[in-house]
Amino acid sequence: TMHPAQRANQDDAGDDGEDDDRNSNPDYEQLKGLWTSELACPELLPHDAETVAKNAEEISNREDAVEELLRRSIQQRGGGGGSRRGTSSSSSSGEASGELASLVAQITRMDTDRTRYMLVDLTRMRLAKIENHALHYRTLADQMTEEEEGGLLHASSDCIRDQFF
């Protein structure tokens, strides 16, 4: 027989495989890999502008989808202004459909927020590394985006001004 803790660990391992199937978006998985690598590495890693741009575009598309789902949800619920004297099967299925659209919109919004968090945190981590080690990264400017190079120049000038003036 198996110990209950071993059974729980085995069940948890099975859940991880299911998560990978649900999040089969390769752009999201690439962003997640970039984010975790940047988080774990003390050095500034090469910037992957393509993955960042794809995920930013995906966020915009998802926000449009959420707005459409919420609009559809309101329409399917009857716009909120109808009387409910006769409850027919078509009106109850419309309400259920509206509630389902609202649920899908909320889940999509949470997923979008998670992706947005990773993008913002990735940028924040990269800029913090540049600011904290501005003189060192001055030699590694080829790994930086134009925005990061601007931050480096600003941080370098502040550091020089603080040391010499």
Side-chain angles (χ1 to χ4, degrees), residues 22-82:
R22 284 182 280 181
N23 294 324
S24 62
N25 182 349
D27 295 330
Y28 172 78
E29 293 300 322
Q30 182 71 23
L31 176 66
K32 186 176 173 183
L34 284 173
W35 179 66
T36 55
S37 296
E38 195 72 51
L39 184 63
C41 184
E43 292 286 322
L44 183 67
L45 298 175
H47 182 66
D48 188 352
E50 182 181 344
T51 300
V52 170
K54 283 181 183 179
N55 279 281
E57 183 179 336
E58 182 69 24
I59 286 173
S60 176
N61 293 340
R62 284 184 188 169
E63 287 173 343
D64 293 342
V66 166
E67 288 176 16
E68 175 63 26
L69 284 166
L70 290 174
R71 185 187 60 73
R72 188 180 310 156
S73 168
I74 291 169
Q75 285 178 346
Q76 289 176 347
R77 290 183 190 176

Side-chain angles (χ1 to χ4, degrees), residues 45-146:
L45 298 175
H47 182 66
D48 188 352
E50 182 181 344
T51 300
V52 170
K54 283 181 183 179
N55 279 281
E57 183 179 336
E58 182 69 24
I59 286 173
S60 176
N61 293 340
R62 284 184 188 169
E63 287 173 343
D64 293 342
V66 166
E67 288 176 16
E68 175 63 26
L69 284 166
L70 290 174
R71 185 187 60 73
R72 188 180 310 156
S73 168
I74 291 169
Q75 285 178 346
Q76 289 176 347
R77 290 183 190 176
S83 70
R84 291 189 173 190
R85 272 189 238 153
T87 306
S88 67
S89 64
S90 65
S91 69
S92 65
S93 69
E95 287 177 20
S97 174
E99 289 174 6
L100 182 61
S102 178
L103 178 64
V104 170
Q106 291 173 3
I107 292 170
T108 303
R109 181 178 290 146
M110 287 184 350
D111 190 41
T112 303
D113 289 344
R114 182 182 64 214
T115 304
R116 181 182 292 116
Y117 172 80
M118 276 195 281
L119 277 173
V120 168
D121 198 49
L122 176 67
T123 303
R124 182 201 57 79
M125 280 189 291
R126 290 181 60 81
L127 289 173
K129 287 178 184 181
I130 292 168
E131 288 175 358
N132 292 336
H133 307 286
L135 295 176
H136 170 71
Y137 286 118
R138 189 173 188 139
T139 61
L140 301 175
D142 60 319
Q143 292 182 3
M144 298 179 200
T145 65
E146 289 179 17

